[in-house]
Amino acid sequence: MQATALDQVPASSFSAEVERRVLEQTNAYRRRQGLAPLVREARLDEAARGFARKLTTLPRFEHDADGSEPANRVGATGYRWCSVAENLAWQFDSRGFDAAVLAQRLVDGWIASSGHRRNLVDGRTTQIGLGVVQARDGRWFAVQVFARPEGAGPHRGCRPTGGRGPG
């Protein structure tokens, strides 16, 4: 899958602020679990943002809604990985959101779900990409892509996970 111009459009300032807050809250949760914080990675952002944009136009809300898997989308950016996982979410409020509230709702929802929480606290994960995009109907779609680069020790030789998350 080739990256398109749509995939490479920078986040709006509001989306960028939500993404920043999601990263802060994700890392705060990981620290409370005794885990190292995740480092943001531009190619993972590209994969997350591109898929979030696609989700705003697709009739399904699933990891393979565009016909590809998270690992394929990450690989298409040139990122070589040994593990990949993905969390998806969407939020809507007819009154709108401020960035702090939207980020908190997204992260709280992922923490409340055992499958999403498993991705948040996977000790093999070292890097993250984020994408938060608003659809024309007002819904906000969010994608977290978690990864460990190929060859990153001490888990050298780790098996690719395939990358599907719980939703």
Side-chain angles (χ1 to χ4, degrees), residues 16-135:
E17 178 64 14
V18 175
E19 291 170 7
R20 184 187 68 74
R21 289 172 181 268
V22 165
L23 178 62
E24 285 178 356
Q25 292 175 27
T26 296
N27 281 335
Y29 182 71
R30 285 178 60 89
R31 280 190 293 278
R32 288 193 301 273
Q33 309 309 307
L35 296 168
L38 299 174
V39 176
R40 198 140 180 209
E41 209 284 334
R43 291 166 296 181
L44 299 178
D45 279 350
E46 180 183 330
R49 245 183 234 128
F51 191 51
R53 281 191 185 86
K54 286 178 184 172
L55 286 172
T56 69
T57 65
L58 296 171
R60 296 185 314 142
F61 182 71
E62 300 172 22
H63 293 279
D64 62 354
D66 67 347
S68 69
E69 296 285 335
N72 302 114
R73 291 188 291 274
V74 168
T77 69
Y79 185 95
R80 296 183 52 87
W81 52 270
C82 72
S83 67
V84 172
E86 178 178 79
N87 283 348
L88 306 178
W90 68 268
Q91 289 286 320
F92 177 78
D93 188 319
S94 61
R95 297 164 297 178
F97 291 103
D98 78 12
V101 170
L102 179 54
Q104 189 68 56
R105 285 191 186 178
L106 292 167
V107 174
D108 286 350
W110 287 321
I111 290 170
S113 161
S114 63
H116 293 99
R117 186 172 53 251
R118 186 172 37 253
N119 290 340
L120 289 167
V121 298
D122 184 341
R124 296 172 301 172
T125 301
T126 59
Q127 297 179 329
I128 190 170
L130 299 159
V132 177
V133 177
Q134 188 174 30

